[in-house]
Amino acid sequence: VALPLLLLAAVGLVQLALVAHAYNVVTGAAQDGARVAAAVDRTLADGEAHTTALLRAGLGRSATVTVAGGQRPAGSPEVVEIAVQAGLQPIVPWLGEATIPLRSRAVMSKERFRTAW
């Protein structure tokens, strides 16, 4: 009687650990992508590509990933924003095609270096 409950609790703990790891990966990738996009010699596309590469490395190929970048105010390169949406596959097989949603957003000011002569 106790073995099924113990196995269920173990699977739940493993799933919780995987979700916590995936959330940290999504948050870190968004932050690092925004940092890359905010660099003085980089573009928003560079930040999006860097974010996508980090997500693929951290979550694997089976996770669904959407990365969107933008600038605020619209059209102005003052502030860059990277938004990430990902879906993590649960480890229990009987949930079918259900995914665990993960979201994160990072905003960073664009670097501007000025020299006075």
Side-chain angles (χ1 to χ4, degrees), residues 70-79:
Q71 297 174 334
R72 293 191 304 178
S76 173
E78 294 294 317
V79 176

Side-chain angles (χ1 to χ4, degrees), residues 77-94:
E78 294 294 317
V79 176
V80 295
E81 176 181 1
I82 299 287
V84 176
Q85 291 185 347
L88 181 67
Q89 296 290 330
I91 60 172
V92 290
W94 57 83

Side-chain angles (χ1 to χ4, degrees), residues 36-93:
V36 168
V40 89
D41 58 342
R42 304 299 282 276
T43 65
L44 191 58
D46 293 336
E48 290 174 349
H50 185 72
T51 302
T52 302
L54 288 174
L55 289 170
R56 290 292 176 211
L59 298 178
R61 301 280 179 201
S62 64
T64 57
V65 172
T66 304
V67 176
Q71 297 174 334
R72 293 191 304 178
S76 173
E78 294 294 317
V79 176
V80 295
E81 176 181 1
I82 299 287
V84 176
Q85 291 185 347
L88 181 67
Q89 296 290 330
I91 60 172
V92 290

